[in-house]
Amino acid sequence: AQSVTQPDIHITVSEGASLELRCNYSYGATPYLFWYVQSPGQGLQLLLKYFSGDTLVQGIKGFEAEFKRSQSSFNLRKPSVHWSDAAEYFCAVGARTGGYNKLIFGAGTRLAVHP
Amino acid sequence: GAVVSQHPSWVICKSGTSVKIECRSLDFQATTMFWYRQFPKQSLMLMATSNEGSKATYEQGVEKDKFLINHASLTLSTLTVTSAHPEDSSFYICSARDQRLAVGNEQFFGPGTRLTVL
């Protein structure tokens, strides 16, 4: 069955430090992979996506992610975190199940940023 | 482009009443819309998938008579929570895609609706 695992429930970093949020997926075919960010009480904003091609994907707000098929991973990175990056981050895989195209979300990682 | 709106953004209602939430795609045709439910500090749980002009497909464990979904046009889907109870209080998020154009299951999300049932 398709699944997405985000091993870190909560991460705290200092402003200006680098960041890596982990995401592992389980999917039998070539995955479509997404990272979304959610601020409190808000909907989801797409940070970046991977469909095919270059495995290093650039997104908005200075984020990037690297697809590693051998590790079934799609980790999100940012070289220097800003206080405004504090939010909930969700990794998702696009899957086709039961004849329908769906997004399967990980549990999320809550990022706190210390000044 | 690809903007999805939801109305209302928050609603408080009495137990036993019904509440309707609207989801609109503002600048594209949404052949497929999705409804999610999110409990505090948890991930999104897909409730149902609706294709324009056809009945919604509900996920296992979601009561179709409780959560009525209508997708009558290419820009509007509605979720009606019937006979709402306090346990229905949650954050409801819709998303939409144009099945004819979208690649890789990309969906565009609305801002969510906070439902509180007293």
Side-chain angles (χ1 to χ4, degrees), chain A residues 34 38 49 100-102 106, chain B residues 38 43 57 59 99 104 106:
Chain A
F34 306 83
Q38 184 182 34
K49 60 193 177 189
Y100 291 90
N101 295 311
K102 302 177 182 179
Chain B
Q38 186 180 32
S43 189
T57 300
E59 295 298 301
Q99 195 81 9
E106 182 171 3

Side-chain angles (χ1 to χ4, degrees), chain B residues 2-36:
Chain B
V3 178
V4 176
S5 70
Q6 280 184 243
H7 179 80
S9 56
W10 59 269
V11 57
I12 301 173
C13 69
K14 293 182 179 179
S15 184
T17 61
S18 295
V19 174
K20 180 183 285 188
I21 302 170
E22 293 186 347
C23 177
R24 293 181 185 273
S25 58
L26 300 185
D27 52 3
F28 68 103
Q29 293 184 326
T31 55
T32 306
M33 286 186 167
F34 304 83
W35 286 96
Y36 295 86

Side-chain angles (χ1 to χ4, degrees), chain A residues 82-99:
Chain A
H82 189 263
W83 64 266
S84 61
D85 293 324
E88 186 89 21
Y89 291 80
F90 293 98
C91 180
V93 61
R96 185 167 180 85
T97 59

Side-chain angles (χ1 to χ4, degrees), chain A residues 32 34 36 38 41-46 49 51 88 90 93-96 100-103 105-108 110, chain B residues 34 36 38 41-44 46 49 51 57 59 91 93 97 99 103-107 109-112 114:
Chain A
Y32 300 122
F34 306 83
Y36 288 90
Q38 184 182 34
Q42 303 294 316
L44 273 66
Q45 181 181 23
L46 180 67
K49 60 193 177 189
F51 292 163
E88 186 89 21
F90 293 98
V93 61
R96 185 167 180 85
Y100 291 90
N101 295 311
K102 302 177 182 179
L103 284 179
F105 285 88
R110 182 169 298 275
Chain B
F34 304 83
Y36 295 86
Q38 186 180 32
K41 298 184 179 181
Q42 294 189 25
S43 189
L44 281 73
L46 180 64
T49 302
N51 292 297
T57 300
E59 295 298 301
F91 194 53
I93 303 176
R97 65 194 299 259
Q99 195 81 9
V103 176
N105 298 0
E106 182 171 3
Q107 299 174 19
F109 285 82
R114 172 76 57 194

